[in-house]
Amino acid sequence: MKIICIGRNYADHAKELNNPVPKEPVFFLKPDTALLPKKNPFVYPSFSKDIHHEIEVVIKINRLGKHIEEKFAHKYYNEIGVGVDFTARDLQQQCKEQGMPWEKAKAFDGSAPTSQFTTIDQFNDINNLDFSIQINGETKQVGNTKDMLFNFNQIIAYVSQFFTLKIGDLIYTGTPAGVGPIQINDTIDCFIEDKKMLSFNVK
Ligand code: ZN
């Protein structure tokens, strides 16, 4: 399986990092080794001094497809969850300055803790869904999927022009404003609406 991550999909987050608001989805990949096994802590990597949290809604692909039209994209997923796109912001800044790829800043081991998944019929409207992250009980980021620049179906249509989507692939759909650093010994809790979906510690 692969993990596809959409960057700069919330205008307020693009602005906080002084990035332009994109005209097309920006995306990158993480390998399956970026998943954090259940009940494991996130181990703060030694190569960075500035790991940031990015809370994101995650959709799980349940059908094989390529060149998927937007009007059919809803048939390719029926479960959503939440995940953290951990980012070594210091390394990412160096990569950006050098015009180099971001992978070492984004795709390292454990950089994609992902919750359990819930069927979308559990929610009134997945295009109007609050999600949030708490660190040590303090809310750090709150988003709503209605603020995505590119919605779930538009993302699937765009990405599937380039990559065949396979059953079990995950798409991280971008983070709202409020990204910031984490520290060793932090407890991280992630929510969709009021439901705690994911909880882990930083070691
Ligand atoms: Zn992200």
Side-chain angles (χ1 to χ4, degrees), residues 5-8 13 28 54-56 85 87 106 172 174-175:
C5 301
I6 309 299
R8 304 176 190 171
H13 169 63
F28 54 92
E54 296 189 355
I55 184 74
E56 311 202 2
D85 168 18
T87 304
K106 280 285 196 183
Y172 272 60
T175 200

Side-chain angles (χ1 to χ4, degrees), residues 9-61:
N9 201 26
Y10 288 80
D12 58 354
H13 169 63
K15 277 188 204 132
E16 75 178 341
L17 295 185
N18 294 315
N19 290 316
V21 173
K23 294 192 175 63
E24 304 186 307
V26 174
F27 69 91
F28 54 92
L29 298 179
K30 298 193 188 214
D32 58 3
T33 44
L35 293 172
L36 189 65
K38 264 202 181 74
K39 296 191 175 155
N40 279 27
F42 172 75
V43 178
Y44 201 107
S46 57
F47 51 73
S48 174
K49 292 188 164 52
D50 195 24
I51 298 288
H52 276 200
H53 56 82
E54 296 189 355
I55 184 74
E56 311 202 2
V57 173
V58 181
I59 53 180
K60 188 190 247 182
I61 297 298

